[in-house]
Amino acid sequence: MREKMEKKILQHRTFYFITTALAGAVAAVLACGILSYVSIATAMGPWISPTIILVFGAIFGAVGVSIAVSDHTLVRIQAMGELGGLVATGVGFTLPMLYFLDEKLFADFISNPVTFCSSIAVLVLVAGMVGTWLGKAFSPYMINRSVLPFPVSELVFGTIKSRHKDGMSGSLFKGLGFTAAFCFLRDGLKSSFVKIPALFGVREFLVAPSILGKGLPIQLSPMMWAIGALVGVRSVVPLLVGSLSRDLIVSPLNSHGSYLPFQLFAPNSYEGFLSAFCCGLILTDLLLCAIGIIRGCKFGGCLTTNFSVWGLLGSIAVHVKRIAKRSMRATGKEVIVPVLIVCSTVGLFTHFGFPLLAQAAIMVMGIVAAYQVTILSAEIGLVTFGRFITLMILPMIVFFNLSYMQFTIMCVFSAIAFAAAVNLVFQHRVARKLQIEPHRMNRYQIIALVAVAATLGFFLWMLFNNLQIGSAEFFAQRGRARSFLIKSFDFNWIPVACGLAYGLILRWFKMSPAMVFGGLLMPNSLVIALTLGATASDVFKRLGIRANNAMLSGVFASESIWMIFSLVLRFF
């Protein structure tokens, strides 16, 4: 009976498409809500596909859908969900920069929810279609390259195939349930119709204040502990170094005249010196990244030895030639779609007052950056939004007099386009491994874009109006870093040079200046929470206890959902 029903579902393609698209839209909205908070609060954007696969896989198992049907359905649902997560991460990494550039302008931007949500929706749709079109152009070349390992695509494929083993779904739901219970006991419930007092009543407490003076702040955040455990000690150590550098490097440098017989520069306010010093760290990363691109090496931490800028330009020229040949015999639809995308992009940038030459520069740099971000992500499994957006910012600072709003729009637009291009190429690779024609994933991506465009603005507006940007629970490290770069020409060059020199020393020790920058500005409670999670994971690993990534994924997803749920309750 069940087999007949499944055959009937597959035969009625319209019904199958609608149900899959609706489930995928739900996944995209959930991922969008979770990552819009996580990306700003932690400056990290974990891949959410495994969580989506395990949740919907468990649902399919509960209703008795066979493995063969559910595998093909899951790959479509997770593709839509992952797009929502990637877009929310890209926007979360870039949009808060406007707050640090001009707090009043940011407040005006989010003051009207309709205008704000509409602006985000248009940005997502236009930039997402640009990224989707670029992904379609890049995909045939990239997924046929045997040298590209596509680690995320392999992770997705492996999770789909092994989700029934080792109790992965059970572990995920344990993480979701235990964390939801912990958050309920910590925060209680507050709304106009129900008020349940919190059992703990605090999100942070101090350890040994009598011994350590101010005390060691411990944050009661399972999400931070879980993310620390997921990223590991190697990623957390630079944050710890940055936190220690505040007292051991930055403060002594700023007040060096008080204990040395000479004075290199007049002392600044601590906050002013720290900002200029951090700007030097960001410029270090930018400088080494540019050198890496020109030389085609790993020195800048951006590229691999296989892909230099000259090879990149040559590959793009080949793609342009192929597209030109296809356009000679293209149908009306194949010609109209790119034209509409280009016209929409020009219209969007013109609405925000970009000069035509600046628009052309953004488009050219954006295509080159999108190609490099996609091919690098296919090799190392990380979407390097920040590096290439930073590289786009510098020439725009030098050659164009853009406003803070225009810089923000450029960065948000680029991040969304990168996210869409990367996701489509990755999902084409997964589809091929499951014997699905890759082009069938395209329409699901477009539906996901619509779902994200309709909801992302609401999530961000709610978060921005209820949480303080720059606080421990909503730190926005990535946006702060880009704001420092844009303001770099206004800083005193001596503290900037000090930061640049310190960044070069850090790179000598194979440590990321950008991560140390995060530790310099992050509240101690956040750094300690991530360190505790990473240390616990490392200790268990040394004891032969393997980290349960499914449970950890459930933990960070649960607290993010709880945060969104708590904010929504405030409206009732």
Side-chain angles (χ1 to χ4, degrees):
M1 184 71 180
R2 189 183 69 183
E3 292 179 358
K4 289 182 179 179
M5 182 182 68
E6 289 171 358
K7 287 181 180 179
K8 188 176 181 180
I9 291 174
L10 291 175
Q11 287 171 356
H12 292 78
R13 294 187 180 276
T14 303
F15 175 74
Y16 175 78
F17 169 72
I18 291 173
T19 52
T20 304
L22 286 174
V26 171
V29 171
L30 287 175
C32 181
I34 292 170
L35 269 301
S36 60
Y37 171 68
V38 171
S39 60
I40 301 176
T42 68
M44 298 176 187
W47 294 100
I48 202 166
S49 284
T51 303
I52 294 172
I53 292 168
L54 294 176
V55 169
F56 282 88
I59 294 173
F60 290 157
V63 299
V65 178
S66 72
I67 294 175
V69 173
S70 61
D71 282 359
H72 282 222
T73 307
L74 280 175
V75 74
R76 292 167 167 84
I77 293 173
Q78 66 79 30
M80 297 174 70
E82 189 59 70
L83 179 68
L86 280 174
V87 169
T89 299
V91 176
F93 283 177
T94 51
L95 184 58
M97 66 183 280
L98 183 61
Y99 173 86
F100 298 107
L101 290 170
D102 189 331
E103 189 173 338
K104 184 178 183 302
L105 180 61
F106 180 82
D108 291 340
F109 185 46
I110 67 171
S111 61
N112 188 323
V114 176
T115 303
F116 175 75
C117 293
S118 301
S119 300
I120 296 298
V122 172
L123 273 169
V124 170
L125 288 175
V126 176
M129 290 305 298
V130 169
T132 300
W133 185 71
L134 291 175
K136 287 174 64 177
F138 299 157
S139 179
Y141 170 72
M142 292 185 185
I143 65 175
N144 290 323
R145 285 182 64 96
S146 58
V147 297
L148 293 174
F150 282 92
V152 176
S153 299
E154 294 297 327
L155 170 66
V156 170
F157 178 75
T159 306
I160 289 174
K161 288 299 183 182
S162 63
R163 67 185 185 277
H164 300 288
K165 301 176 183 177
D166 303 324
M168 293 177 67
S169 296
S171 297
L172 176 75
F173 282 103
K174 286 178 183 177
L176 287 167
F178 290 155
T179 305
F182 181 91
C183 292
F184 173 74
L185 294 175
R186 182 192 65 193
D187 301 335
L189 282 179
K190 297 177 183 178
S191 71
S192 59
F193 60 87
V194 60
K195 290 186 179 180
I196 302 176
L199 181 63
F200 301 157
V202 294
R203 286 176 169 267
E204 182 181 309
F205 65 93
L206 299 177
V207 173
S210 59
I211 300 174
L212 301 175
K214 294 182 179 179
L216 197 66
I218 304 297
Q219 194 174 81
L220 295 176
S221 174
M223 181 184 73
M224 297 301 176
W225 303 335
I227 290 178
L230 285 168
V231 300
V233 172
R234 181 174 294 182
S235 297
V236 171
V237 165
L239 298 177
L240 197 58
V241 170
S243 182
L244 295 172
S245 296
R246 282 199 297 264
D247 295 322
L248 300 179
I249 304 291
V250 177
S251 185
L253 270 177
N254 188 38
S255 57
H256 68 281
S258 61
Y259 52 84
L260 292 177
F262 57 88
Q263 193 173 36
L264 295 174
F265 52 87
N268 298 284
S269 68
Y270 176 76
E271 289 298 328
F273 183 86
L274 179 62
S275 298
F277 187 88
C278 288
C279 177
L281 286 178
I282 297 302
L283 288 175
T284 306
D285 229 24
L286 175 63
L287 175 65
L288 297 180
C289 186
I291 293 173
I293 287 182
I294 293 171
R295 295 178 58 186
C297 64
K298 292 184 179 180
F299 183 59
C302 290
L303 299 178
T304 65
T305 53
N306 295 323
F307 302 105
S308 69
V309 68
W310 316 119
L312 167 63
L313 293 175
S315 298
I316 290 176
V318 171
H319 284 305
V320 171
K321 186 177 179 180
R322 289 175 181 170
I323 292 170
K325 285 184 177 179
R326 286 203 303 266
S327 65
M328 299 297 293
R329 57 180 183 275
T331 64
K333 179 182 176 182
E334 291 172 330
V335 173
I336 290 173
V337 170
V339 170
L340 287 177
I341 291 173
V342 172
C343 290
S344 300
T345 305
V346 171
L348 176 66
F349 284 139
T350 302
H351 172 75
F352 285 101
F354 285 84
L356 286 177
L357 191 57
Q359 295 183 34
I362 292 171
M363 290 181 190
V364 172
M365 290 190 298
I367 292 172
V368 174
Y371 181 88
Q372 188 61 63
V373 168
T374 306
I375 207 164
L376 183 61
S377 302
E379 183 164 2
I380 66 174
L382 298 174
V383 184
T384 52
F385 292 108
R387 295 290 178 84
F388 291 94
I389 290 175
T390 301
L391 286 173
M392 292 175 64
I393 288 175
L394 190 60
M396 302 305 291
I397 293 175
V398 174
F399 297 110
F400 300 98
N401 185 26
L402 299 184
S403 67
Y404 287 155
M405 176 62 81
Q406 288 171 333
F407 273 117
T408 303
I409 294 299
M410 182 193 76
C411 293
V412 173
F413 183 94
S414 301
I416 295 170
F418 295 167
V422 169
N423 188 67
L424 191 66
V425 173
F426 281 16
Q427 302 309 332
H428 280 186
R429 178 61 175 253
V430 178
R432 173 168 289 191
K433 291 182 71 68
L434 287 169
Q435 284 77 51
I436 300 172
E437 294 179 14
H439 70 85
R440 293 188 179 277
M441 306 299 293
N442 298 348
R443 56 183 177 177
Y444 291 97
Q445 169 131 333
I446 294 171
I447 294 170
L449 275 176
V450 174
V452 173
T455 54
L456 179 57
F458 168 73
F459 287 130
L460 292 172
W461 182 83
M462 186 171 57
L463 290 169
F464 289 148
N465 280 277
N466 289 279
L467 299 175
Q468 178 60 49
I469 297 178
S471 65
E473 61 180 351
F474 212 50
F475 184 60
Q477 173 198 331
R478 309 277 183 162
R480 192 188 299 243
R482 263 169 282 287
S483 71
F484 282 164
L485 176 63
I486 293 171
K487 287 183 173 181
S488 59
F489 289 91
D490 300 329
F491 287 125
N492 186 329
W493 69 268
I494 295 179
V496 172
C498 291
L500 185 64
Y502 186 50
L504 291 172
I505 294 171
L506 291 171
R507 288 301 287 174
W508 181 266
F509 288 99
K510 299 182 178 180
M511 195 170 293
S512 168
M515 293 296 289
V516 174
F517 159 84
L520 273 167
L521 296 178
M522 275 186 183
N524 287 332
S525 59
L526 185 56
V527 176
I528 291 170
L530 294 170
T531 303
L532 287 175
T535 303
S537 175
D538 187 65
V539 169
F540 286 135
K541 184 178 179 180
R542 293 177 185 276
L543 293 174
I545 303 174
R546 185 170 57 89
N548 192 327
N549 289 343
M551 180 176 286
L552 293 174
S553 298
V555 169
F556 90 77
S558 182
E559 185 165 0
S560 303
I561 294 171
W562 174 265
M563 180 61 67
I564 299 293
F565 173 70
S566 300
L567 295 179
V568 170
L569 275 184
R570 297 183 185 183
F571 292 94
F572 298 98

